[in-house]
């Protein structure tokens, strides 16, 4: 049996065991107590598409399967979260955290940068089966780094420094990029059913290595943006821009969250500017989304102060949500055409209990005439998910 199969078999065995006993245990190590909590998740997705011309991949997928653990020792927290989707081991959250007090900490390791609400939010808790295309295109993903997070009843702040690229395995030769990223939120209303939150995030990112040529000289660096069709079944990127001779990118996001009773609103605007070498013109791109939600069953919306984002509805809640997104990766100044995409997505979510959730999404997606795939087409997608998280 191959090592890959053994890894997957071991992961599934541990996953099954942990799902039955997903509770904290106290472990004695040299007369010291460490509290350990197993964690895990898996998603089963299915999707079908009504195509305008381009043939798409109807079918099913398991977009996320993870096992991990959390450990707590005095003022220290540790988390190790590994993904096994697609038959490959993937690094998720792996970090050591020191809690300065009850409302602030410093953290080092591999985790999401503080930029973009859906990007910082767990995929288990966002209101749709996938994040919006704008967040996919502009959010930075997980990186190796160090950050500070702190909050109170009026504000939340996060700031960190991160390595770029494939720092977990160093498979690309050349100098690593790096970034400085921060997010500041003003949230004077954090009560159940009465929420107001406005925030600003920014990131400066030096372009990452793109390998060495035959003479050992670093190749010109590239920065890329892109998104799939907001689905985990059809994997291809239908908007995509690669900016050659990149020096650095500077981007920002403006965000808004509000809720009154069982109704909530969330919106973000993203803008990015890529400066290039050899006197090449800069590349600029932007995107935005807005979404509303309604708890038909389940009371009022709540807020997570420690993360500055919406709380998870209670078990037995039924939620409906509507989202509009527009992403523009075309830029006349640089002559780069990455395409445009917009969509309306309707979601129905049922929170069966603390661990299991059922989702159903319908999307109407419009693609621009410069898109690398399905240019000028309109696509309708119906997706469903069974989600288990512990």
């Amino acid at each position: 049996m191959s090592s890959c199969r053994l890894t997957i078999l071991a992961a599934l065995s541990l996953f099954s065991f942990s799902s039955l006993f997903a509770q904290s245990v106290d472990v004695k190590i040299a007369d010291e107590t460490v509290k350990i909590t197993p964690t895990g998740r898996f998603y089963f997705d299915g999707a079908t598409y009504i195509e305008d011309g381009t043939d798409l991949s109807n079918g099913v997928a398991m977009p996320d399967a993870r096992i991990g653990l959390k450990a707590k020792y005095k003022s220290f927290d540790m988390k190790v979260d590994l993904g096994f989707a697609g038959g490959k081991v993937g690094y998720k959250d792996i970090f050591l955290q020191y809690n300065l007090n009850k409302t602030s900490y410093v953290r080092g390791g591999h985790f999401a940068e503080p930029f973009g609400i859906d990007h910082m939010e767990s995929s288990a808790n966002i209101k749709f089966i996938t994040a919006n295309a704008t967040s996919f295109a502009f959010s930075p993903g997980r990186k190796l780094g160090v950050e500070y997070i702190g909050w109170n009843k009026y504000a939340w702040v996060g700031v960190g420094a991160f390595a770029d690229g494939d720092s977990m395995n160093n498979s690309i030769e050349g100098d690593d990029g790096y970034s400085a990223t921060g997010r500041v939120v003003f949230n004077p209303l954090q009560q159940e059913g009465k929420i107001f939150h406005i925030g600003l995030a920014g990131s400066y990112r030096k372009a990452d290595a793109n390998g060495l040529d035959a003479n050992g000289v670093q190749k010109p660096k590239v920065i890329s943006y892109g998104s799939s069709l907001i689905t985990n079944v059809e994997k291809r990127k239908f908007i995509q821009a690669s900016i050659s001779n990149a020096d650095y990118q500077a981007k920002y996001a403006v965000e808004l969250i509000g809720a009154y009773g069982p109704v909530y609103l969330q919106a973000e605007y993203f803008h990015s500017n890529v400066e290039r070498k050899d006197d090449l013109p800069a590349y600029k791109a932007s995107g935005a989304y807005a979404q509303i939600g309604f708890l038909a069953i389940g009371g009022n919306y709540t807020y997570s102060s420690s993360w500055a984002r919406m709380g998870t509805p209670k078990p037995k809640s039924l939620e409906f949500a509507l989202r509009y997104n527009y992403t523009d990766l075309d830029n006349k100044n640089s002559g780069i055409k990455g395409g445009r995409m917009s969509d309306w997505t309707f979601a129905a979510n049922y929170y069966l209990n603390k661990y299991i959730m059922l989702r159903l999404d319908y999307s109407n997606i419009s693609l621009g005439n410069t898109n690398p795939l399905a240019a000028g087409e309109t696509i309708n997608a119906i997706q469903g998910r069974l989600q288990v998280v512990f």
Side-chain angles (χ1 to χ4, degrees):
M1 184 178 292
S2 69
S3 59
C4 179
R5 290 180 180 176
L6 284 172
T7 301
I8 297 171
L9 180 60
L12 291 176
S13 298
L14 180 57
F15 189 89
S16 300
F17 179 81
S18 299
S19 65
L20 294 175
F21 303 95
Q23 55 186 342
S24 298
V25 294
D26 291 336
V27 178
K28 289 285 188 178
I29 302 176
D31 296 326
E32 299 281 0
T33 300
V34 179
K35 179 171 287 187
I36 297 177
T37 305
T39 63
R41 70 178 60 177
F42 59 84
Y43 304 159
F44 292 121
D45 285 9
T48 185
Y49 310 96
I50 304 171
E51 304 100 338
D52 194 13
T54 302
D55 190 26
L56 303 177
S57 302
N58 301 302
V60 296
M62 191 173 181
D64 205 358
R66 300 189 203 176
I67 58 170
L69 61 84
K70 297 178 182 178
K72 185 170 184 62
Y73 171 70
K74 295 184 177 180
S75 295
F76 291 92
D77 288 328
M78 183 191 75
K79 183 177 181 181
V80 177
D81 192 20
L82 300 177
F84 298 89
K88 298 180 180 179
V89 178
Y91 303 108
K92 302 299 182 181
D93 290 333
I94 304 175
F95 60 78
L96 178 66
Q97 175 177 306
Y98 178 71
N99 300 303
L100 301 169
N101 51 50
K102 292 183 178 180
T103 60
S104 65
Y105 59 80
V106 290
R107 171 186 293 179
H110 187 253
F111 46 84
E113 296 184 36
F115 189 96
I117 300 173
D118 275 8
H119 164 66
M120 293 183 65
E121 177 66 274
S122 168
S123 62
N125 296 333
I126 61 175
K127 304 300 182 183
F128 301 82
I129 288 179
T130 72
N132 58 87
T134 296
S135 292
F136 274 127
F138 297 108
S139 295
R142 289 179 173 87
K143 298 288 189 299
L144 280 173
V146 59
E147 72 174 354
Y148 164 83
I149 301 291
W151 66 94
N152 58 33
K153 60 182 179 180
Y154 298 109
W156 185 100
V157 62
V159 61
F162 302 85
D164 206 349
D166 65 333
S167 303
M168 295 295 282
N169 53 35
N170 290 327
S171 63
I172 299 177
E173 296 292 337
D175 295 334
D176 281 346
Y178 55 87
S179 65
T181 303
R183 178 182 181 231
V184 177
V185 170
F186 175 61
N187 47 10
L189 290 178
Q190 304 180 28
Q191 306 169 30
E192 180 176 345
K194 293 182 180 180
I195 299 166
F196 177 76
H197 155 136
I198 188 168
L200 175 67
S203 181
Y204 170 88
R205 182 178 304 278
K206 195 72 173 178
D208 194 40
N210 192 33
L212 306 179
D213 63 20
N215 298 317
V217 178
Q218 294 195 60
K219 297 178 182 178
K221 298 182 178 182
V222 175
I223 289 176
S224 298
Y225 301 98
S227 176
S228 65
L229 285 176
I230 54 173
T231 173
N232 294 304
V233 176
E234 171 60 65
K235 295 288 190 179
R236 292 175 292 175
K237 290 188 176 181
F238 283 71
I239 51 173
Q240 187 168 19
S242 294
I243 301 91
S244 61
N245 294 79
D247 184 13
Y248 68 87
Q249 62 175 318
K251 56 187 176 183
Y252 67 87
V254 181
E255 59 187 60
L256 171 69
I257 293 176
Y260 186 77
V263 179
Y264 105 104
L265 167 70
Q266 177 176 310
E268 284 185 280
Y269 170 79
F270 294 79
H271 184 275
S272 186
N273 180 81
V274 179
E275 293 296 327
R276 306 165 74 192
K277 295 183 176 181
D278 300 329
D279 295 323
L280 291 173
Y283 170 83
K284 296 181 180 181
S286 62
Y289 74 91
Q291 61 193 46
I292 57 174
F294 172 63
L295 281 174
I297 302 173
N300 298 325
Y301 279 106
T302 61
Y303 187 76
S304 172
S305 300
S306 61
W307 283 101
R309 64 192 188 197
M310 295 298 294
T312 304
K314 294 178 286 190
K316 306 301 182 183
S317 294
L318 175 63
E319 178 182 49
F320 298 107
L322 179 66
R323 178 179 70 195
Y324 176 75
N325 177 85
Y326 179 77
T327 312
D328 185 0
L329 299 186
D330 284 347
N331 180 241
K332 291 182 179 179
N333 182 60
S334 64
I336 296 173
K337 297 181 179 180
R340 297 186 178 98
M341 184 166 80
S342 64
D343 73 90
W344 287 95
T345 299
F346 174 79
N349 304 314
Y350 183 62
Y351 300 81
L352 181 64
N353 54 43
K354 185 178 179 180
Y355 306 104
I356 301 173
M357 181 178 174
L358 303 173
R359 297 179 179 270
L360 182 65
D361 284 12
Y362 165 75
S363 299
N364 178 269
I365 306 165
S366 298
L367 300 170
N369 292 325
T370 60
N371 284 41
L373 293 172
E377 295 185 22
T378 298
I379 296 166
N380 292 280
I382 300 173
Q383 304 179 73
R385 168 178 289 178
L386 168 62
Q387 174 178 304
V388 179
V389 179
F390 61 86

